[in-house]
Amino acid sequence: QTREVTIKYWFPVLTGLSGLVSGDSRIATRNAALKLLFDTLHNHGIKIYSKHVWGLIMRGVLLPMLDDVRYIDNENTNVIEKEKNFTWLHTTCILALQLLVKLFCSNFSKLGFVLKELLSLLTSCIIQKSENLSEVGFVCLSDLINQTGDKFDSVMWELLCQCLSKLFYSSFPFSFGEFKFEKNIRKPNKNDKENNKENNKEKE
């Protein structure tokens, strides 16, 4: 019954605030809603929300609120939308991302089960073309690891390793990794290895 009451009264309030954060055209309104949203979660949510309710809030309110960062660099977006996304990114989105990670780290015992989704969001931020978003995503990931890494179990470490592996491969310049031999340069063969061994023995 307590869970039903919590969902009935709190969920619409939090959903309404997240809608203002992600959709309102007024910067002051977005930032005010953002502050109220996370102040509410810090001051009330930690005390009264169950794990089930936190799951609904994280997956139904907070993560969807920032889901648009995955499509910031979409080439099919028109000029007006790109300008709107740029403004939202630099005035609201980055702060929202920082507050989300701060909430997760300070309440890891209750929120650790959404680590996979949060890592996916941070990965999407880091691989974006926007340097500001990428840098903030990297800082948030570093904070997350430093503040909660000692509490990870083997499954969580596996998720983190997968995240880091994806980041590495998405940023590695593979086009420069393919070495092309020129005509006057030949590939090494077995005879070269044997000759090197003999030369080393003579030096000794």
Side-chain angles (χ1 to χ4, degrees):
Q1 186 176 359
T2 302
R3 178 191 299 175
E4 293 177 355
V5 171
T6 302
I7 295 174
K8 180 179 179 180
Y9 291 105
W10 279 109
F11 200 77
V13 173
L14 299 176
T15 302
L17 289 172
S18 70
L20 290 174
V21 172
S22 60
D24 199 282
S25 60
R26 297 161 295 181
I27 297 175
T29 300
R30 291 201 304 269
N31 291 341
L34 180 63
K35 183 179 185 304
L36 182 57
L37 173 61
F38 280 94
D39 283 349
T40 300
L41 293 173
H42 277 291
N43 297 333
H44 304 286
I46 301 305
K47 301 176 183 178
I48 62 176
Y49 296 166
S50 65
K51 183 177 180 180
H52 173 76
V53 173
W54 270 116
L56 291 175
I57 292 172
M58 290 295 291
R59 292 169 176 149
V61 178
L62 299 181
L63 292 173
M65 180 178 69
L66 292 166
D67 198 51
D68 283 348
V69 299
R70 303 175 191 271
Y71 314 105
I72 288 291
D73 292 333
N74 191 338
E75 296 179 355
N76 296 324
T77 305
N78 60 50
V79 177
I80 296 177
E81 282 297 320
K82 284 185 178 180
E83 185 176 348
K84 179 181 177 182
N85 290 340
F86 180 85
T87 303
W88 176 76
L89 171 65
H90 290 86
T91 59
T92 307
C93 173
I94 290 176
L95 178 59
L97 185 65
Q98 293 171 326
L99 291 174
L100 175 60
V101 173
K102 181 179 179 181
L103 177 70
F104 178 86
C105 292
S106 61
N107 301 284
F108 180 78
S109 60
K110 290 188 175 183
L111 302 178
F113 65 95
V114 294
L115 176 64
K116 182 177 181 179
E117 291 94 328
L118 185 54
L119 288 176
S120 176
L121 176 63
L122 293 178
T123 300
S124 297
C125 293
I126 295 173
I127 63 177
Q128 296 296 324
K129 293 179 181 179
S130 168
E131 292 185 10
N132 288 339
L133 179 58
S134 181
E135 182 179 354
V136 170
F138 177 79
V139 171
C140 287
L141 179 60
S142 298
D143 289 343
L144 187 152
I145 296 172
N146 290 329
Q147 295 181 37
T148 64
D150 59 339
K151 303 170 187 175
F152 283 7
D153 56 26
S154 58
V155 175
M156 291 177 173
W157 276 112
E158 178 65 25
L159 290 173
L160 178 59
C161 288
Q162 291 174 4
C163 167
L164 296 177
S165 177
K166 181 176 181 179
L167 290 174
F168 172 78
Y169 281 105
S170 66
S171 60
F172 186 81
F174 286 102
S175 58
F176 295 104
E178 298 177 1
F179 184 81
K180 295 182 179 180
F181 290 96
E182 300 295 337
K183 291 182 180 180
N184 60 338
I185 301 178
R186 63 179 179 80
K187 297 181 181 180
N189 53 44
K190 294 181 179 179
N191 293 331
D192 292 329
K193 293 182 180 179
E194 294 176 358
N195 292 332
N196 288 335
K197 288 181 180 179
E198 293 179 0
N199 290 334
N200 291 331
K201 288 180 180 179
E202 292 177 0
K203 290 180 181 180
E204 294 175 356

